Amino acid sequence: MKKKLESAYAGTMKKLAVLAVAGLLAGCQASEFTDAKHQRPVSADLQRKMKAENMEKTSPILVRIFKEESELEIWKQTRDGTYEKLDTFDICKWSGKLGPKFKEGDRQAPEGFYTVTPGLMNPNSNYYLSFNLGYPNKFDRAHERTGSHLMVHGACSSRGCYAMTDEQMADIYALARDSFMGGQRDFQVQAFPFRMTPENMARHRHNEHFEFWQILKEGYDHFEIAKVPPKIDVCDSRYVFNAQPTQRGAKFSPRIACPDYQLPEGIAVAFNKKQQSDAQEMAKIILAEEESARRKAAIAAFFGNDQADEAPVATDTPAPTSVARSAPASTTVASTPSAQATVAPLALTAQPSPAETADEGSGSRAFGFFDSIFPFGQSGESDKAKVAQIGTPDPNAPIPAAKP
């Protein structure tokens, strides 16, 4: 009898032990469920940065993407209403090449200005966490571009998307989620081929997408000036930024000519100043490249034709036939074809003519490009005068050694 009781007691204790373990396991699972990845808080490091930059946890955000640099920036609103950069994340992978996406299946990551709403957030993504860029937008549809499910996501794998590591995506997702909790209705994603600096624009001026990039640079400049997301509209199949129609009731329609509009006065003045400054800097860069090419061609000619092949030549990619002209000095912008200006193709001269040697500033193709970006000076002004105005050295001064 005693043995039976001991056996029954041992069996009961074993069952209780199994139930206790099962309860512990169930508790762990419940804890993991309540701490789902889409609900995890922003990392402690970013929380410290937000506090140091005078940012609220739930204040609005803006995302900027740069393909060539493989970087994604998170900008966040401070308590004074402007945006400051919170952090920069290295993009793990992006697919395709520099340039916009055109059609479904081309595995090209988009470029342009996109709007992300709460409905585009995906906590159940197959790629850890993600949000949809909203491609195609109004601009893309006006150009009959197709595609779907273009994301910023985790898992470090891309087929037309911008892929981050899971750890990075956890923070990016949490920042977006918190901004929606704070009342932000949507946030902008500005996707660029590269940082839109004068140096990069001059370097890529022969690319087939240069005209499109000139338009993207306008939006880039608006944000750089004001440090607040620009209002974005599409008309006449192009983006316009911070545009205010001058006639009551006028609207922007993607496939219809833009109505007359104006920019806010403060933005208009700063925008034109930046456009002029960048155009001058680009002209200097192009002039320096042309001068270097002339020197190398002259050296190659002096030593014989065997070395002529070493002289640099223009790329095979055709130069754009037109670029967008910056807004005029006044705040009113007319929606006329005059906003476009024809550009002579930029090419390097194999050997300078005697006239060019005597007056190196004369006939430079850089000036045609420069004038197309920003109308500088009076008509009929000599090239030599333009050289002086952008700070080019005196042609009679000693020529410095060319950089390799």
Side-chain angles (χ1 to χ4, degrees):
M1 183 69 180
K2 183 178 180 181
K3 288 183 177 180
K4 289 183 178 180
L5 289 173
E6 289 177 347
S7 177
Y9 177 80
T12 302
M13 293 302 297
K14 185 179 291 186
K15 289 179 181 179
L16 289 173
V18 170
L19 289 173
V21 171
L24 287 173
L25 289 174
C28 290
Q29 290 172 350
S31 175
E32 289 177 359
F33 181 78
T34 58
D35 189 28
K37 58 182 181 291
H38 69 283
Q39 295 176 338
R40 290 175 183 172
V42 175
S43 66
D45 182 51
L46 285 183
Q47 290 184 43
R48 285 191 294 269
K49 287 184 179 180
M50 285 189 284
K51 185 175 181 180
E53 294 293 339
N54 201 26
M55 300 168 177
E56 297 283 357
K57 174 186 175 182
T58 57
S59 66
I61 66 167
L62 175 142
V63 177
R64 294 204 304 180
I65 291 171
F66 301 98
K67 279 185 178 178
E68 192 169 56
E69 293 84 358
S70 289
E71 291 180 347
L72 182 149
E73 295 178 346
I74 297 289
W75 290 68
K76 195 165 176 64
Q77 189 182 65
T78 64
R79 289 186 176 91
D80 68 5
T82 60
Y83 284 61
E84 294 293 337
K85 184 166 62 176
L86 175 63
D87 207 354
T88 300
F89 300 87
D90 291 333
I91 296 174
C92 191
K93 287 183 181 178
W94 58 270
S95 61
K97 57 184 181 179
L98 299 186
K101 182 177 182 63
F102 288 100
K103 61 182 180 180
E104 183 83 56
D106 62 6
R107 297 198 173 188
Q108 183 76 0
E111 293 173 7
F113 296 86
Y114 297 92
T115 301
V116 178
T117 61
L120 295 178
M121 304 286 286
N122 185 4
N124 301 311
S125 173
N126 292 328
Y127 297 90
Y128 190 69
L129 293 167
S130 69
F131 59 79
N132 192 313
L133 288 171
Y135 177 96
N137 62 16
K138 291 180 180 179
F139 177 93
D140 300 317
R141 290 194 293 271
H143 290 269
E144 299 182 349
R145 296 175 181 176
T146 59
S148 58
H149 307 299
L150 279 303
M151 308 277 185
V152 174
H153 60 66
C156 193
S157 175
S158 176
R159 291 185 297 175
C161 299
Y162 293 101
M164 316 300 294
T165 65
D166 290 352
E167 182 181 5
Q168 291 171 329
M169 197 61 212
D171 268 337
I172 295 168
Y173 192 97
L175 288 166
R177 177 202 64 214
D178 290 349
S179 76
F180 289 135
M181 291 177 63
Q184 186 174 21
R185 298 177 62 182
D186 53 61
F187 65 88
Q188 281 185 21
V189 177
Q190 303 177 356
F192 301 105
F194 41 77
R195 296 188 183 278
M196 314 300 277
T197 62
E199 295 79 10
N200 284 340
M201 295 299 289
R203 181 163 55 89
H204 290 286
R205 67 186 183 273
H206 295 297
N207 192 287
E208 61 182 318
H209 304 303
F210 184 80
E211 183 178 354
F212 170 65
W213 292 340
Q214 280 286 99
I215 298 173
L216 296 189
K217 185 180 183 301
E218 292 180 17
Y220 177 93
D221 288 347
H222 274 265
F223 180 71
E224 288 287 305
I225 290 164
K227 290 297 187 290
V228 294
K231 183 176 78 75
I232 298 172
D233 291 289
V234 180
C235 56
D236 200 19
S237 300
R238 61 160 291 155
Y239 291 109
V240 291
F241 306 94
N242 291 320
Q244 301 174 342
T246 57
Q247 295 182 353
R248 176 176 291 186
K251 295 182 179 180
F252 297 101
S253 181
R255 297 178 184 269
I256 298 176
C258 299
D260 288 350
Y261 64 86
Q262 62 184 10
L263 305 181
E265 185 174 357
I267 291 178
V269 172
F271 175 76
N272 280 300
K273 184 177 180 180
K274 187 175 191 313
Q275 289 273 297
Q276 181 179 15
S277 174
D278 287 355
Q280 290 175 337
E281 186 62 31
M282 288 174 66
K284 290 180 183 179
I285 294 168
I286 296 168
L287 283 170
E289 290 180 1
E290 289 183 347
E291 183 57 32
S292 176
R294 289 194 185 101
R295 291 195 190 101
K296 291 180 180 180
I299 292 170
F302 179 81
F303 286 103
N305 292 332
D306 291 342
Q307 298 187 22
D309 292 339
E310 297 179 5
V313 295
T315 61
D316 293 333
T317 304
T321 57
S322 63
V323 297
R325 187 186 293 273
S326 64
S330 66
T331 58
T332 301
V333 180
S335 58
T336 63
S338 62
Q340 299 286 324
T342 301
V343 181
L346 290 166
L348 300 177
T349 306
Q351 296 186 21
S353 66
E356 289 174 326
T357 304
D359 185 358
E360 294 174 351
S362 177
S364 170
R365 292 178 183 268
F367 291 121
F369 179 81
F370 173 68
D371 287 338
S372 72
I373 297 173
F374 193 88
F376 187 77
Q378 301 297 323
S379 59
E381 184 178 23
S382 69
D383 288 339
K384 185 176 290 184
K386 293 179 182 178
V387 172
Q389 291 188 26
I390 62 172
T392 302
D394 184 348
N396 297 320
I399 299 175
K403 294 182 180 180

